[in-house]
């Protein structure tokens, strides 16, 4: 994104999604969260890919509570969650030893 700004290329949802996904793959959930906040500050629309990548980044970082918070936010937004989104939250809860929350989410998915 820094290079895009230097080259005066306008960033958009797709470029932010790519960066957040890269952060997820690199286990950089804090950087992903900062990018997610910058999207909001720049009034860029987030989509299902944005939310799924953000939740997956937190899941990989062991941040099960953050995944639940993000899932709650997505449910209040106009963006639809999907199987990938729910699976990442369930996985984060399982990894964090939060079996009750994971089972509740699985029931919601059924």
């Amino acid at each position: 994104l820094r290079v895009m700004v230097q080259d005066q290329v306008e960033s958009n949802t797709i470029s932010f999604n790519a960066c957040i996904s890269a952060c997820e793959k690199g286990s950089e959930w804090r950087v992903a969260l900062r990018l997610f906040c910058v999207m909001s500050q720049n009034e860029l629309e987030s989509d299902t890919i944005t939310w799924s990548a953000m939740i997956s980044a937190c899941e990989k970082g062991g941040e099960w509570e953050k995944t639940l918070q993000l899932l709650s936010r997505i449910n209040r937004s106009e963006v639809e969650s999907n199987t990938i989104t729910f699976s990442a939250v369930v996985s984060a809860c399982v990894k964090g030893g939060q079996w009750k929350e994971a089972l509740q989410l699985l029931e919601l998915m059924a």
Side-chain angles (χ1 to χ4, degrees):
L1 286 174
R2 197 173 305 129
V3 172
M4 289 179 71
V5 171
Q6 288 171 349
D7 291 344
Q8 297 179 340
V9 175
E10 187 176 334
S11 56
N12 58 25
T13 300
I14 295 169
S15 59
F16 271 89
N17 287 351
C19 291
I20 291 170
S21 291
C23 290
E24 176 228 331
K25 307 247 183 310
S27 300
E28 294 288 342
W29 72 270
R30 286 182 181 94
V31 176
L33 188 57
R34 281 197 301 271
L35 290 170
F36 190 71
C37 291
V38 169
M39 276 186 80
S40 181
Q41 291 166 356
N42 291 338
E43 298 179 357
L44 290 172
E45 250 184 71
S46 57
D47 58 18
T48 304
I49 295 168
T50 312
W51 287 92
S52 293
M54 188 60 243
I55 288 171
S56 292
C58 290
E59 180 260 332
K60 286 200 170 75
E63 296 294 317
W64 67 269
E65 289 173 308
K66 185 68 69 186
T67 65
L68 289 172
Q69 291 169 2
L70 289 166
L71 183 63
S72 175
R73 283 180 57 193
I74 195 174
N75 289 336
R76 291 189 310 262
S77 76
E78 294 179 12
V79 177
E80 260 188 62
S81 54
N82 61 17
T83 305
I84 295 168
T85 311
F86 270 97
S87 295
V89 178
V90 169
S91 176
C93 289
V94 169
K95 288 177 183 176
Q98 305 303 312
W99 295 100
K100 194 180 271 187
E101 285 83 355
L103 290 172
Q104 287 173 345
L105 286 168
L106 288 172
E107 286 176 11
L108 288 174
M109 289 173 65

